[in-house]
Amino acid sequence: MIKLRMLLAGLVCTVLMMTLGGCADRIEPGNLLVITAVGIAKGEKFRYHFYFEGINPSEFTETKRQNISNSFLFDNEADALSGAISAISQEIPLKPEFSHMQLIAIDDELLREGDYDYLDFADRFDQIRNNLTLIAVKDKAMKPIFSTTSPSLTIPSFRILMQLNELHEKVGGNYPTSLLQFINNLTQSGRNPILPVAQITNPSDKAESMDYAKQLDKQTKMDLHAIAVFREDKMVGELKDREARNVIVLQNQAKNTIYNYSCDAQKTISSALQYIAVNKKVMYRQNKPVLKVYMHATGTINSIQCANYFTGKSVEYTKINKELDRTIEKELTATIINMQTKYKSDIFGFGEKLRISDYKKFKEVKDRWNEEFARADVEVEVRVNVQRSGIRGEPFTNRIKNKKY
Amino acid sequence: MTGLLYKTWEELESTFEHSFGKTTDFVKVPVMFNERKCWILYYSSLVGSANLSSKLMLPFSQHAGKAESLEQFRAAALASINYMYLTDWIQIARQLNKNSVCILVEGEYEALSIEIGGYTERSISEPEIQQSIYGPKIAFTESIETNISIMRRVLRTKSLQIESYDLSSDKVTGAVLVYLDDVIAPELLQEARQRIQRMEGKKVATLNHLLEGLRDDKKANFFPTLMINERQDSCVAQLLEGRAVVFMEGSPQGIILPAVFQDFFKSPEDAYVPAAMMLFMRLLRYCAFFITLLLPGIYIGVINFNYEIIPINLAIVIAGLRSNLPFPSVIELLLVEAAFEIMREGSVRMPKVVGNALTVVGALVIGEAVVQAGVVSIVVVIIVALTGLSSYAFTYYNFAFSIRLLRFVFIGIASILGIFGVFLGCVILFAYLVNQRSFGYPYFQMNSKRSLL
């Protein structure tokens, strides 16, 4: 009797497991189309034009490689991302898999209009991770972005991410903003979002073929040295190179960067900074906001172009420290003032600091914070501590200059 | 059956036939004992001729003529030999089966049984199952006396106690319980005695029968709760930690009791290496346990259900390797696992001369061919190879066997429920293991000090 009951219980369990188990969700990786990036631009027939970058996985194996392209781009127009996904199956007999998507590129036209209707799907869909990187694409160059061969023959979206991360790690030139951060900054008051801007210089059809990788001189390049500036929910402009870097530093996102100052006509001293810490503070002085920035960093001398400027004594380190302090103060102040006057947009997160430190005041000025930011005084204080000079103390140019013939 | 062994001397011959049958190795020799008639009885298969002549025949020819009684002869000539006086044919048969020789003398109604032995035995050899780099190269043999001697050669103390039991229905199969009486817990000793005594009168011919009788739960025994050991050093170590060892006549292994989960991760080698190294190796064995048990299941779960948790670069490679393959992942994995298991079983049963060839040829040729032909992906071959290698990391073969079997359960559950199923299986397995007992000791007891909870 007990045996029979056990047998029946086992049978019921097995049947329940077979019917209620996840067999229906079963996937075979061989039948998957791994989508690594999605590009969104304004459409002509429908609202949006979607670009999908799919992986050709057999190119990544030793045995099944056919030496064809390792990713492919296909596009279609639709009113929503979900519609575009269902349209993929009409083109490719594989099941699209979005779990490994790591890049969404958005045409700057959409960003300038403040149109984010396509992003809700990415925010909501369980397969899509919300730590994927968002970039803005300039000049309606969505197609070349995803189809230009990279020198190392990697997948274009991998290349963008690697380049972006390298830029961020080494010189703090840009910051890979994630979907979650972007949406947070869009929805919260006190900080306007930024996005990295991707741009193809010298786009050409030739660069979209695999043979282009064989050429030594590559004219078509990916430029990621700019950031898109938003005011409220619309993109209003972009900052390039050093200004972009200063913004990243002021956001306290930079790990390493390089600052130069001139010591002579056209000659510079450059120093690599590490352990950069930036503290921001907002306070009201006579009903006028004051933006205070305090930055501390450790530096290494990168290069000294002026002869007889530096001999390795500690007094000279102090001199370089002071010069660097002044240069960085000037640069950061200029960047903030530029933002105040040109875009009136607080992308640094001063409002956020005020919200944390003085919520009462912030509640008062919340709705007009960007205006408050624009009229604020700026006080920047920088303390750089240059401690190292590489493996050389005195530059060899000193010895050339002091040589007696 | 107390009574006289015989009424008249003449009827004895028919009694022999009645008691011992017509087996050809039963030897009955009529001799003269100081002018009296006398029978010498023994099994020629159990008594060596060299022993017989030196221990019995030589003294017999010298002293038998002068002795007045059997006892006088025994005391004078067979002083150093184990003896026994028997008054019962059943006991005589039992003693004869235990390598003894019986002497019956006319006019005396007690038979003298003396232990002669001396049949050919395997000499002490190196351990073959439990290989180890360091430590004594001594493995137990089929003889209890040799095994006890092997133990006492190391544990020269009076606290080493040996209790003998006669098992099986004829009470001829000898078994001994070995323990250190000042270390062992009295409850454990009591329990061990009881369980061995329970086997008396039951059919016990080989170690299997004894193992079954000593086990806690006779029904579902997925993990071994007793340890089979053939090494001297690990047996001694276990004795010193308060465990008992059971040897049985005819089995070159000792049963160590109790044995809990963590004991199977210890190796006799551990004591010879520095503590850090020992810790590392033990950690490695625990890793191997989880790899053997879970890796194929996790592979199936991840590949078929939770594809998103694989890092992207690996995911792409796996997708590339899996493209255009004929079988679903589960079938593919089961195929390769089956091939591997058959190969393993085949190489165990192979004659030693060709054994090496099979494993090498099998692994290389089949693995390579199958991947080249595009029947299975190389990822699966890697998974199976890693799993197979890990299952060899254990010192105790029967423990590894349990895990080998269980991993198929995990593959099955993972192919239906994915990673969730694997973890569900882990929870159930853990509950099962926690519930197990070995001689009253919790199976999952993780501290080395044994205590009954």
Side-chain angles (χ1 to χ4, degrees), chain A residues 22 26-29 57 64 99-100 129 158, chain B residues 304-305 307-308 310 313 321-323 329 416:
Chain A
R26 215 168 62 89
I27 47 171
E28 279 298 337
K64 295 183 177 172
S99 57
H100 288 96
R129 300 168 187 224
F158 279 42
Chain B
N304 278 351
F305 294 95
Y307 194 65
E308 64 276 358
I310 319 174
N313 291 325
L321 290 169
R322 286 279 310 135
S323 61
S329 313
I416 296 171

mmCIF file with all atom_site columns, all heavy atoms in Angstrom, chain A residues 22 26-29 57 64 99-100 129 158, chain B residues 304-305 307-308 310 313 321-323 329 416:
data_model
loop_
_atom_site.group_PDB
_atom_site.id
_atom_site.type_symbol
_atom_site.label_atom_id
_atom_site.label_alt_id
_atom_site.label_comp_id
_atom_site.label_asym_id
_atom_site.label_entity_id
_atom_site.label_seq_id
_atom_site.pdbx_PDB_ins_code
_atom_site.Cartn_x
_atom_site.Cartn_y
_atom_site.Cartn_z
_atom_site.occupancy
_atom_site.B_iso_or_equiv
_atom_site.pdbx_formal_charge
_atom_site.auth_seq_id
_atom_site.auth_comp_id
_atom_site.auth_asym_id
_atom_site.auth_atom_id
_atom_site.pdbx_PDB_model_num
ATOM 1   N N   . GLY A 1 22  ? 10.083 23.915 -17.155 1.00 0.00 ? 22  GLY A N   1
ATOM 2   C CA  . GLY A 1 22  ? 10.416 24.927 -18.152 1.00 0.00 ? 22  GLY A CA  1
ATOM 3   C C   . GLY A 1 22  ? 10.800 24.386 -19.511 1.00 0.00 ? 22  GLY A C   1
ATOM 4   O O   . GLY A 1 22  ? 11.530 25.037 -20.248 1.00 0.00 ? 22  GLY A O   1
ATOM 5   N N   . ARG A 1 26  ? 13.064 26.007 -23.293 1.00 0.00 ? 26  ARG A N   1
ATOM 6   C CA  . ARG A 1 26  ? 14.351 25.460 -23.674 1.00 0.00 ? 26  ARG A CA  1
ATOM 7   C C   . ARG A 1 26  ? 14.845 26.093 -24.968 1.00 0.00 ? 26  ARG A C   1
ATOM 8   O O   . ARG A 1 26  ? 14.100 26.230 -25.926 1.00 0.00 ? 26  ARG A O   1
ATOM 9   C CB  . ARG A 1 26  ? 14.247 23.949 -23.845 1.00 0.00 ? 26  ARG A CB  1
ATOM 10  C CG  . ARG A 1 26  ? 15.465 23.192 -23.435 1.00 0.00 ? 26  ARG A CG  1
ATOM 11  C CD  . ARG A 1 26  ? 15.125 21.721 -23.364 1.00 0.00 ? 26  ARG A CD  1
ATOM 12  N NE  . ARG A 1 26  ? 14.714 21.250 -24.673 1.00 0.00 ? 26  ARG A NE  1
ATOM 13  C CZ  . ARG A 1 26  ? 15.563 20.769 -25.575 1.00 0.00 ? 26  ARG A CZ  1
ATOM 14  N NH1 . ARG A 1 26  ? 16.828 20.692 -25.301 1.00 0.00 ? 26  ARG A NH1 1
ATOM 15  N NH2 . ARG A 1 26  ? 15.131 20.365 -26.745 1.00 0.00 ? 26  ARG A NH2 1
ATOM 16  N N   . ILE A 1 27  ? 16.103 26.486 -24.963 1.00 0.00 ? 27  ILE A N   1
ATOM 17  C CA  . ILE A 1 27  ? 16.665 27.076 -26.171 1.00 0.00 ? 27  ILE A CA  1
ATOM 18  C C   . ILE A 1 27  ? 17.917 26.302 -26.539 1.00 0.00 ? 27  ILE A C   1
ATOM 19  O O   . ILE A 1 27  ? 18.543 25.683 -25.686 1.00 0.00 ? 27  ILE A O   1
ATOM 20  C CB  . ILE A 1 27  ? 17.017 28.567 -25.960 1.00 0.00 ? 27  ILE A CB  1
ATOM 21  C CG1 . ILE A 1 27  ? 17.777 28.746 -24.653 1.00 0.00 ? 27  ILE A CG1 1
ATOM 22  C CG2 . ILE A 1 27  ? 15.792 29.431 -26.016 1.00 0.00 ? 27  ILE A CG2 1
ATOM 23  C CD1 . ILE A 1 27  ? 18.347 30.102 -24.468 1.00 0.00 ? 27  ILE A CD1 1
ATOM 24  N N   . GLU A 1 28  ? 18.264 26.323 -27.777 1.00 0.00 ? 28  GLU A N   1
ATOM 25  C CA  . GLU A 1 28  ? 19.513 25.713 -28.212 1.00 0.00 ? 28  GLU A CA  1
ATOM 26  C C   . GLU A 1 28  ? 20.421 26.829 -28.707 1.00 0.00 ? 28  GLU A C   1
ATOM 27  O O   . GLU A 1 28  ? 20.048 27.576 -29.610 1.00 0.00 ? 28  GLU A O   1
ATOM 28  C CB  . GLU A 1 28  ? 19.251 24.711 -29.348 1.00 0.00 ? 28  GLU A CB  1
ATOM 29  C CG  . GLU A 1 28  ? 18.775 23.356 -28.883 1.00 0.00 ? 28  GLU A CG  1
ATOM 30  C CD  . GLU A 1 28  ? 19.785 22.636 -28.007 1.00 0.00 ? 28  GLU A CD  1
ATOM 31  O OE1 . GLU A 1 28  ? 20.991 22.951 -28.091 1.00 0.00 ? 28  GLU A OE1 1
ATOM 32  O OE2 . GLU A 1 28  ? 19.365 21.780 -27.220 1.00 0.00 ? 28  GLU A OE2 1
ATOM 33  N N   . PRO A 1 29  ? 21.588 26.970 -28.112 1.00 0.00 ? 29  PRO A N   1
ATOM 34  C CA  . PRO A 1 29  ? 22.443 28.091 -28.501 1.00 0.00 ? 29  PRO A CA  1
ATOM 35  C C   . PRO A 1 29  ? 22.782 28.093 -29.992 1.00 0.00 ? 29  PRO A C   1
ATOM 36  O O   . PRO A 1 29  ? 23.071 29.140 -30.552 1.00 0.00 ? 29  PRO A O   1
ATOM 37  C CB  . PRO A 1 29  ? 23.693 27.913 -27.644 1.00 0.00 ? 29  PRO A CB  1
ATOM 38  C CG  . PRO A 1 29  ? 23.553 26.634 -26.945 1.00 0.00 ? 29  PRO A CG  1
ATOM 39  C CD  . PRO A 1 29  ? 22.137 26.207 -26.995 1.00 0.00 ? 29  PRO A CD  1
ATOM 40  N N   . PRO A 1 57  ? 28.255 33.613 -35.076 1.00 0.00 ? 57  PRO A N   1
ATOM 41  C CA  . PRO A 1 57  ? 29.104 32.977 -34.053 1.00 0.00 ? 57  PRO A CA  1
ATOM 42  C C   . PRO A 1 57  ? 30.134 32.005 -34.609 1.00 0.00 ? 57  PRO A C   1
ATOM 43  O O   . PRO A 1 57  ? 31.166 31.794 -33.992 1.00 0.00 ? 57  PRO A O   1
ATOM 44  C CB  . PRO A 1 57  ? 28.108 32.258 -33.150 1.00 0.00 ? 57  PRO A CB  1
ATOM 45  C CG  . PRO A 1 57  ? 26.867 32.160 -33.924 1.00 0.00 ? 57  PRO A CG  1
ATOM 46  C CD  . PRO A 1 57  ? 26.846 33.255 -34.912 1.00 0.00 ? 57  PRO A CD  1
ATOM 47  N N   . LYS A 1 64  ? 34.907 26.023 -37.452 1.00 0.00 ? 64  LYS A N   1
ATOM 48  C CA  . LYS A 1 64  ? 33.805 26.317 -38.371 1.00 0.00 ? 64  LYS A CA  1
ATOM 49  C C   . LYS A 1 64  ? 33.957 27.670 -39.056 1.00 0.00 ? 64  LYS A C   1
ATOM 50  O O   . LYS A 1 64  ? 33.021 28.186 -39.644 1.00 0.00 ? 64  LYS A O   1
ATOM 51  C CB  . LYS A 1 64  ? 32.482 26.280 -37.600 1.00 0.00 ? 64  LYS A CB  1
ATOM 52  C CG  . LYS A 1 64  ? 32.184 24.895 -37.081 1.00 0.00 ? 64  LYS A CG  1
ATOM 53  C CD  . LYS A 1 64  ? 30.856 24.855 -36.387 1.00 0.00 ? 64  LYS A CD  1
ATOM 54  C CE  . LYS A 1 64  ? 30.549 23.436 -35.944 1.00 0.00 ? 64  LYS A CE  1
ATOM 55  N NZ  . LYS A 1 64  ? 29.372 23.358 -35.117 1.00 0.00 ? 64  LYS A NZ  1
ATOM 56  N N   . SER A 1 99  ? 19.769 38.977 -24.547 1.00 0.00 ? 99  SER A N   1
ATOM 57  C CA  . SER A 1 99  ? 20.374 39.023 -23.214 1.00 0.00 ? 99  SER A CA  1
ATOM 58  C C   . SER A 1 99  ? 21.817 39.501 -23.252 1.00 0.00 ? 99  SER A C   1
ATOM 59  O O   . SER A 1 99  ? 22.347 39.915 -22.231 1.00 0.00 ? 99  SER A O   1
ATOM 60  C CB  . SER A 1 99  ? 20.302 37.646 -22.570 1.00 0.00 ? 99  SER A CB  1
ATOM 61  O OG  . SER A 1 99  ? 20.921 36.702 -23.387 1.00 0.00 ? 99  SER A OG  1
ATOM 62  N N   . HIS A 1 100 ? 22.454 39.380 -24.388 1.00 0.00 ? 100 HIS A N   1
ATOM 63  C CA  . HIS A 1 100 ? 23.841 39.829 -24.444 1.00 0.00 ? 100 HIS A CA  1
ATOM 64  C C   . HIS A 1 100 ? 23.992 41.162 -25.150 1.00 0.00 ? 100 HIS A C   1
ATOM 65  O O   . HIS A 1 100 ? 25.075 41.507 -25.588 1.00 0.00 ? 100 HIS A O   1
ATOM 66  C CB  . HIS A 1 100 ? 24.708 38.765 -25.107 1.00 0.00 ? 100 HIS A CB  1
ATOM 67  C CG  . HIS A 1 100 ? 24.894 37.589 -24.235 1.00 0.00 ? 100 HIS A CG  1
ATOM 68  N ND1 . HIS A 1 100 ? 24.119 36.473 -24.340 1.00 0.00 ? 100 HIS A ND1 1
ATOM 69  C CD2 . HIS A 1 100 ? 25.734 37.363 -23.207 1.00 0.00 ? 100 HIS A CD2 1
ATOM 70  C CE1 . HIS A 1 100 ? 24.489 35.607 -23.429 1.00 0.00 ? 100 HIS A CE1 1
ATOM 71  N NE2 . HIS A 1 100 ? 25.463 36.118 -22.715 1.00 0.00 ? 100 HIS A NE2 1
ATOM 72  N N   . ARG A 1 129 ? 19.492 43.782 -20.423 1.00 0.00 ? 129 ARG A N   1
ATOM 73  C CA  . ARG A 1 129 ? 20.117 44.260 -19.175 1.00 0.00 ? 129 ARG A CA  1
ATOM 74  C C   . ARG A 1 129 ? 20.079 45.782 -19.148 1.00 0.00 ? 129 ARG A C   1
ATOM 75  O O   . ARG A 1 129 ? 20.272 46.415 -20.177 1.00 0.00 ? 129 ARG A O   1
ATOM 76  C CB  . ARG A 1 129 ? 21.577 43.824 -19.119 1.00 0.00 ? 129 ARG A CB  1
ATOM 77  C CG  . ARG A 1 129 ? 21.733 42.355 -19.152 1.00 0.00 ? 129 ARG A CG  1
ATOM 78  C CD  . ARG A 1 129 ? 23.160 41.977 -19.376 1.00 0.00 ? 129 ARG A CD  1
ATOM 79  N NE  . ARG A 1 129 ? 23.215 40.534 -19.569 1.00 0.00 ? 129 ARG A NE  1
ATOM 80  C CZ  . ARG A 1 129 ? 24.096 39.740 -19.026 1.00 0.00 ? 129 ARG A CZ  1
ATOM 81  N NH1 . ARG A 1 129 ? 25.037 40.240 -18.279 1.00 0.00 ? 129 ARG A NH1 1
ATOM 82  N NH2 . ARG A 1 129 ? 24.063 38.458 -19.239 1.00 0.00 ? 129 ARG A NH2 1
ATOM 83  N N   . PHE A 1 158 ? 31.510 45.934 -30.102 1.00 0.00 ? 158 PHE A N   1
ATOM 84  C CA  . PHE A 1 158 ? 32.585 45.619 -29.160 1.00 0.00 ? 158 PHE A CA  1
ATOM 85  C C   . PHE A 1 158 ? 33.658 46.680 -29.251 1.00 0.00 ? 158 PHE A C   1
ATOM 86  O O   . PHE A 1 158 ? 34.213 47.125 -28.250 1.00 0.00 ? 158 PHE A O   1
ATOM 87  C CB  . PHE A 1 158 ? 33.226 44.265 -29.503 1.00 0.00 ? 158 PHE A CB  1
ATOM 88  C CG  . PHE A 1 158 ? 32.478 43.086 -29.005 1.00 0.00 ? 158 PHE A CG  1
ATOM 89  C CD1 . PHE A 1 158 ? 31.110 43.040 -29.100 1.00 0.00 ? 158 PHE A CD1 1
ATOM 90  C CD2 . PHE A 1 158 ? 33.138 42.018 -28.437 1.00 0.00 ? 158 PHE A CD2 1
ATOM 91  C CE1 . PHE A 1 158 ? 30.406 41.941 -28.653 1.00 0.00 ? 158 PHE A CE1 1
ATOM 92  C CE2 . PHE A 1 158 ? 32.452 40.922 -27.981 1.00 0.00 ? 158 PHE A CE2 1
ATOM 93  C CZ  . PHE A 1 158 ? 31.087 40.873 -28.095 1.00 0.00 ? 158 PHE A CZ  1
ATOM 94  N N   . ASN B 2 304 ? 20.696 25.589 -22.020 1.00 0.00 ? 304 ASN B N   1
ATOM 95  C CA  . ASN B 2 304 ? 19.336 25.457 -22.534 1.00 0.00 ? 304 ASN B CA  1
ATOM 96  C C   . ASN B 2 304 ? 18.332 26.421 -21.925 1.00 0.00 ? 304 ASN B C   1
ATOM 97  O O   . ASN B 2 304 ? 17.274 26.640 -22.494 1.00 0.00 ? 304 ASN B O   1
ATOM 98  C CB  . ASN B 2 304 ? 18.830 24.037 -22.313 1.00 0.00 ? 304 ASN B CB  1
ATOM 99  C CG  . ASN B 2 304 ? 19.321 23.096 -23.392 1.00 0.00 ? 304 ASN B CG  1
ATOM 100 O OD1 . ASN B 2 304 ? 19.886 23.560 -24.376 1.00 0.00 ? 304 ASN B OD1 1
ATOM 101 N ND2 . ASN B 2 304 ? 19.123 21.821 -23.217 1.00 0.00 ? 304 ASN B ND2 1
ATOM 102 N N   . PHE B 2 305 ? 18.629 26.960 -20.760 1.00 0.00 ? 305 PHE B N   1
ATOM 103 C CA  . PHE B 2 305 ? 17.616 27.798 -20.125 1.00 0.00 ? 305 PHE B CA  1
ATOM 104 C C   . PHE B 2 305 ? 18.127 29.176 -19.721 1.00 0.00 ? 305 PHE B C   1
ATOM 105 O O   . PHE B 2 305 ? 17.426 30.154 -19.852 1.00 0.00 ? 305 PHE B O   1
ATOM 106 C CB  . PHE B 2 305 ? 17.059 27.092 -18.882 1.00 0.00 ? 305 PHE B CB  1
ATOM 107 C CG  . PHE B 2 305 ? 16.297 25.853 -19.207 1.00 0.00 ? 305 PHE B CG  1
ATOM 108 C CD1 . PHE B 2 305 ? 16.912 24.627 -19.185 1.00 0.00 ? 305 PHE B CD1 1
ATOM 109 C CD2 . PHE B 2 305 ? 14.966 25.927 -19.572 1.00 0.00 ? 305 PHE B CD2 1
ATOM 110 C CE1 . PHE B 2 305 ? 16.218 23.480 -19.502 1.00 0.00 ? 305 PHE B CE1 1
ATOM 111 C CE2 . PHE B 2 305 ? 14.267 24.791 -19.896 1.00 0.00 ? 305 PHE B CE2 1
ATOM 112 C CZ  . PHE B 2 305 ? 14.887 23.565 -19.859 1.00 0.00 ? 305 PHE B CZ  1
ATOM 113 N N   . TYR B 2 307 ? 20.778 31.118 -20.725 1.00 0.00 ? 307 TYR B N   1
ATOM 114 C CA  . TYR B 2 307 ? 21.850 31.505 -21.638 1.00 0.00 ? 307 TYR B CA  1
ATOM 115 C C   . TYR B 2 307 ? 22.438 32.856 -21.269 1.00 0.00 ? 307 TYR B C   1
ATOM 116 O O   . TYR B 2 307 ? 23.596 33.144 -21.547 1.00 0.00 ? 307 TYR B O   1
ATOM 117 C CB  . TYR B 2 307 ? 21.285 31.529 -23.049 1.00 0.00 ? 307 TYR B CB  1
ATOM 118 C CG  . TYR B 2 307 ? 22.315 31.578 -24.127 1.00 0.00 ? 307 TYR B CG  1
ATOM 119 C CD1 . TYR B 2 307 ? 23.189 30.511 -24.307 1.00 0.00 ? 307 TYR B CD1 1
ATOM 120 C CD2 . TYR B 2 307 ? 22.434 32.678 -24.958 1.00 0.00 ? 307 TYR B CD2 1
ATOM 121 C CE1 . TYR B 2 307 ? 24.149 30.551 -25.297 1.00 0.00 ? 307 TYR B CE1 1
ATOM 122 C CE2 . TYR B 2 307 ? 23.382 32.720 -25.944 1.00 0.00 ? 307 TYR B CE2 1
ATOM 123 C CZ  . TYR B 2 307 ? 24.241 31.654 -26.107 1.00 0.00 ? 307 TYR B CZ  1
ATOM 124 O OH  . TYR B 2 307 ? 25.185 31.697 -27.070 1.00 0.00 ? 307 TYR B OH  1
ATOM 125 N N   . GLU B 2 308 ? 21.626 33.704 -20.621 1.00 0.00 ? 308 GLU B N   1
ATOM 126 C CA  . GLU B 2 308 ? 22.057 35.076 -20.383 1.00 0.00 ? 308 GLU B CA  1
ATOM 127 C C   . GLU B 2 308 ? 23.158 35.186 -19.345 1.00 0.00 ? 308 GLU B C   1
ATOM 128 O O   . GLU B 2 308 ? 23.836 36.200 -19.281 1.00 0.00 ? 308 GLU B O   1
ATOM 129 C CB  . GLU B 2 308 ? 20.863 35.956 -20.000 1.00 0.00 ? 308 GLU B CB  1
ATOM 130 C CG  . GLU B 2 308 ? 20.176 35.580 -18.686 1.00 0.00 ? 308 GLU B CG  1
ATOM 131 C CD  . GLU B 2 308 ? 19.167 34.459 -18.872 1.00 0.00 ? 308 GLU B CD  1
ATOM 132 O OE1 . GLU B 2 308 ? 18.975 34.003 -20.010 1.00 0.00 ? 308 GLU B OE1 1
ATOM 133 O OE2 . GLU B 2 308 ? 18.599 34.026 -17.874 1.00 0.00 ? 308 GLU B OE2 1
ATOM 134 N N   . ILE B 2 310 ? 25.906 33.501 -19.210 1.00 0.00 ? 310 ILE B N   1
ATOM 135 C CA  . ILE B 2 310 ? 27.250 33.242 -19.725 1.00 0.00 ? 310 ILE B CA  1
ATOM 136 C C   . ILE B 2 310 ? 27.847 34.571 -20.175 1.00 0.00 ? 310 ILE B C   1
ATOM 137 O O   . ILE B 2 310 ? 27.168 35.360 -20.817 1.00 0.00 ? 310 ILE B O   1
ATOM 138 C CB  . ILE B 2 310 ? 27.213 32.282 -20.929 1.00 0.00 ? 310 ILE B CB  1
ATOM 139 C CG1 . ILE B 2 310 ? 26.224 31.155 -20.696 1.00 0.00 ? 310 ILE B CG1 1
ATOM 140 C CG2 . ILE B 2 310 ? 28.586 31.728 -21.223 1.00 0.00 ? 310 ILE B CG2 1
ATOM 141 C CD1 . ILE B 2 310 ? 26.037 30.274 -21.888 1.00 0.00 ? 310 ILE B CD1 1
ATOM 142 N N   . ASN B 2 313 ? 31.555 36.781 -24.474 1.00 0.00 ? 313 ASN B N   1
ATOM 143 C CA  . ASN B 2 313 ? 32.534 36.182 -25.382 1.00 0.00 ? 313 ASN B CA  1
ATOM 144 C C   . ASN B 2 313 ? 32.418 34.656 -25.385 1.00 0.00 ? 313 ASN B C   1
ATOM 145 O O   . ASN B 2 313 ? 32.493 34.024 -26.440 1.00 0.00 ? 313 ASN B O   1
ATOM 146 C CB  . ASN B 2 313 ? 33.946 36.594 -24.976 1.00 0.00 ? 313 ASN B CB  1
ATOM 147 C CG  . ASN B 2 313 ? 34.170 38.073 -25.239 1.00 0.00 ? 313 ASN B CG  1
ATOM 148 O OD1 . ASN B 2 313 ? 33.643 38.609 -26.219 1.00 0.00 ? 313 ASN B OD1 1
ATOM 149 N ND2 . ASN B 2 313 ? 34.901 38.729 -24.373 1.00 0.00 ? 313 ASN B ND2 1
ATOM 150 N N   . LEU B 2 321 ? 30.091 26.988 -31.680 1.00 0.00 ? 321 LEU B N   1
ATOM 151 C CA  . LEU B 2 321 ? 30.417 25.562 -31.685 1.00 0.00 ? 321 LEU B CA  1
ATOM 152 C C   . LEU B 2 321 ? 29.168 24.700 -31.754 1.00 0.00 ? 321 LEU B C   1
ATOM 153 O O   . LEU B 2 321 ? 29.192 23.584 -32.245 1.00 0.00 ? 321 LEU B O   1
ATOM 154 C CB  . LEU B 2 321 ? 31.220 25.216 -30.423 1.00 0.00 ? 321 LEU B CB  1
ATOM 155 C CG  . LEU B 2 321 ? 32.644 25.779 -30.386 1.00 0.00 ? 321 LEU B CG  1
ATOM 156 C CD1 . LEU B 2 321 ? 33.237 25.611 -29.009 1.00 0.00 ? 321 LEU B CD1 1
ATOM 157 C CD2 . LEU B 2 321 ? 33.521 25.095 -31.419 1.00 0.00 ? 321 LEU B CD2 1
ATOM 158 N N   . ARG B 2 322 ? 28.062 25.237 -31.242 1.00 0.00 ? 322 ARG B N   1
ATOM 159 C CA  . ARG B 2 322 ? 26.829 24.448 -31.210 1.00 0.00 ? 322 ARG B CA  1
ATOM 160 C C   . ARG B 2 322 ? 26.044 24.552 -32.512 1.00 0.00 ? 322 ARG B C   1
ATOM 161 O O   . ARG B 2 322 ? 25.064 23.850 -32.683 1.00 0.00 ? 322 ARG B O   1
ATOM 162 C CB  . ARG B 2 322 ? 25.936 24.925 -30.050 1.00 0.00 ? 322 ARG B CB  1
ATOM 163 C CG  . ARG B 2 322 ? 26.373 24.534 -28.677 1.00 0.00 ? 322 ARG B CG  1
ATOM 164 C CD  . ARG B 2 322 ? 25.997 23.115 -28.288 1.00 0.00 ? 322 ARG B CD  1
ATOM 165 N NE  . ARG B 2 322 ? 24.601 22.820 -28.528 1.00 0.00 ? 322 ARG B NE  1
ATOM 166 C CZ  . ARG B 2 322 ? 24.152 21.717 -29.100 1.00 0.00 ? 322 ARG B CZ  1
ATOM 167 N NH1 . ARG B 2 322 ? 24.991 20.803 -29.509 1.00 0.00 ? 322 ARG B NH1 1
ATOM 168 N NH2 . ARG B 2 322 ? 22.879 21.521 -29.285 1.00 0.00 ? 322 ARG B NH2 1
ATOM 169 N N   . SER B 2 323 ? 26.457 25.457 -33.402 1.00 0.00 ? 323 SER B N   1
ATOM 170 C CA  . SER B 2 323 ? 25.632 25.670 -34.598 1.00 0.00 ? 323 SER B CA  1
ATOM 171 C C   . SER B 2 323 ? 25.742 24.469 -35.533 1.00 0.00 ? 323 SER B C   1
ATOM 172 O O   . SER B 2 323 ? 26.794 23.845 -35.656 1.00 0.00 ? 323 SER B O   1
ATOM 173 C CB  . SER B 2 323 ? 26.061 26.947 -35.307 1.00 0.00 ? 323 SER B CB  1
ATOM 174 O OG  . SER B 2 323 ? 27.394 26.845 -35.709 1.00 0.00 ? 323 SER B OG  1
ATOM 175 N N   . SER B 2 329 ? 21.306 19.550 -26.984 1.00 0.00 ? 329 SER B N   1
ATOM 176 C CA  . SER B 2 329 ? 22.436 19.524 -26.041 1.00 0.00 ? 329 SER B CA  1
ATOM 177 C C   . SER B 2 329 ? 22.365 18.347 -25.080 1.00 0.00 ? 329 SER B C   1
ATOM 178 O O   . SER B 2 329 ? 23.378 17.731 -24.766 1.00 0.00 ? 329 SER B O   1
ATOM 179 C CB  . SER B 2 329 ? 22.484 20.818 -25.236 1.00 0.00 ? 329 SER B CB  1
ATOM 180 O OG  . SER B 2 329 ? 22.340 21.909 -26.070 1.00 0.00 ? 329 SER B OG  1
ATOM 181 N N   . ILE B 2 416 ? 15.035 19.552 -17.548 1.00 0.00 ? 416 ILE B N   1
ATOM 182 C CA  . ILE B 2 416 ? 13.611 19.899 -17.428 1.00 0.00 ? 416 ILE B CA  1
ATOM 183 C C   . ILE B 2 416 ? 13.435 21.248 -16.757 1.00 0.00 ? 416 ILE B C   1
ATOM 184 O O   . ILE B 2 416 ? 12.637 22.069 -17.179 1.00 0.00 ? 416 ILE B O   1
ATOM 185 C CB  . ILE B 2 416 ? 12.864 18.812 -16.626 1.00 0.00 ? 416 ILE B CB  1
ATOM 186 C CG1 . ILE B 2 416 ? 12.910 17.484 -17.396 1.00 0.00 ? 416 ILE B CG1 1
ATOM 187 C CG2 . ILE B 2 416 ? 11.415 19.200 -16.407 1.00 0.00 ? 416 ILE B CG2 1
ATOM 188 C CD1 . ILE B 2 416 ? 12.396 16.328 -16.620 1.00 0.00 ? 416 ILE B CD1 1
#
